[in-house]
Amino acid sequence: MNIEQQLQNQLLSERESTLLRDSYNHEIVFYDLIANGDIDGVNKWRNSYGLSKHALGKLSDNDVTNERYHGIVLVALISRFCIEAGMDICESYAISDIFIQRLDQLKTVKEIRDLRREIADEYCHRMHDMKKKNVVSRHIVLAIDYIREHIQDNLTVENIAISLSLNPSYLSKLFKQEMDITISQYIRKEKINIAQNMLRHLDESSLNIANFLGFSSQSHFIQVFKKETGYTPEDYRKKYYHQSWMGDEAEGINQK
């Protein structure tokens, strides 16, 4: 049987059944609410158009597998809607991967449905927090994107400004005005945030982390890290290594 025959049989089967699908508009509204960080809107949508009132399409004869497939579709779509709304691409994809791995381990329909709700809530709350931050100009958004994409390089105001075809002095003034922090301070904090995560979760040496993040030397990395966090890299690792994996959020993570 070719795909056209299968399609027609599938459409006929669904028309003859009592299967209810969310309309396309309702589905898009849901993803838009999440991408806009509208927590109240998402909860209201659930009350009006939640999955408890609408059956899912049949992707598998096995109920658990069917729910799992829909969970994967859900997180894939939400992650991309959130990227379009401004979430960092790497962050969104990483969260998506984490949830898909969790979906793969679940054994019951209820567990998967609960996780699907958690997926929507996690993205929605992250977008809500992001939207609360000061709205910045296009130049600053592009500068931040450039910094994040080149965080391993030896970044300077000059090379960032050149990439944006801006005057370095103008960019420096605009960045400080809108972000309440200098470009150099922002770069340093971004590098240290990444270093913190690497020290918490990986076994890389301070030298490797320093090289990875483009510090001029290991000693310079240690000096900057201690200034930002109050710890040397090794002391920080001893205190926080894998702590979040054991259930407790590490105190002082991503210090500002």
Side-chain angles (χ1 to χ4, degrees), residues 100-246:
I100 289 173
Q101 290 169 27
R102 287 178 60 185
L103 283 165
D104 192 51
Q105 300 300 315
L106 300 181
K107 305 298 184 184
T108 69
V109 168
K110 183 182 184 305
E111 287 176 335
I112 295 173
R113 286 183 177 174
D114 289 344
L115 184 58
R116 287 171 59 197
R117 186 183 183 96
E118 183 182 337
I119 290 167
D121 288 344
E122 177 66 23
Y123 274 100
C124 189
H125 280 86
R126 284 177 177 271
M127 294 304 295
H128 177 77
D129 291 342
M130 188 187 82
K131 299 287 185 181
K132 286 197 305 184
K133 295 180 180 178
N134 294 333
V135 177
V136 295
S137 68
R138 180 174 178 273
H139 287 322
I140 301 307
V141 170
L142 292 175
I144 290 173
D145 284 344
Y146 183 89
I147 290 169
R148 289 176 175 173
E149 289 175 6
H150 298 82
I151 198 66
Q152 295 172 246
D153 300 340
N154 181 23
L155 291 164
T156 65
V157 176
E158 287 72 21
N159 59 35
I160 297 170
I162 289 172
S163 74
L164 303 178
S165 300
L166 295 174
N167 178 279
S169 297
Y170 170 75
L171 178 60
S172 292
K173 181 178 179 181
L174 185 64
F175 199 98
K176 182 67 166 64
Q177 177 182 316
E178 296 193 19
M179 299 297 292
D180 198 30
I181 189 174
T182 68
I183 291 181
S184 296
Q185 289 171 329
Y186 182 86
I187 292 169
R188 184 166 63 247
K189 287 182 179 297
E190 285 294 296
K191 286 179 180 282
I192 295 306
N193 283 343
I194 293 172
Q196 285 178 301
N197 286 328
M198 293 178 74
L199 289 165
R200 288 171 59 205
H201 301 309
L202 304 178
D203 295 318
E204 295 292 335
S205 67
S206 294
L207 177 60
N208 287 343
I209 294 174
N211 290 336
F212 175 78
L213 292 173
F215 283 90
S216 58
S217 66
Q218 182 181 6
S219 60
H220 181 227
F221 165 62
I222 293 172
Q223 179 185 9
V224 172
F225 191 93
K226 187 171 183 179
K227 183 177 180 180
E228 289 291 321
T229 68
Y231 298 96
T232 66
E234 291 310 309
D235 286 342
Y236 186 91
R237 170 175 275 149
K238 288 176 184 176
K239 185 173 180 65
Y240 296 121
Y241 185 63
H242 282 186
Q243 183 167 340
S244 65
W245 288 3
M246 294 184 290

Side-chain angles (χ1 to χ4, degrees), residues 54-71:
H54 295 265
L56 296 174
K58 184 177 181 181
L59 303 180
S60 171
D61 291 329
N62 181 282
D63 289 342
V64 173
T65 301
N66 191 57
E67 289 285 345
R68 183 176 292 114
Y69 285 163
H70 279 285

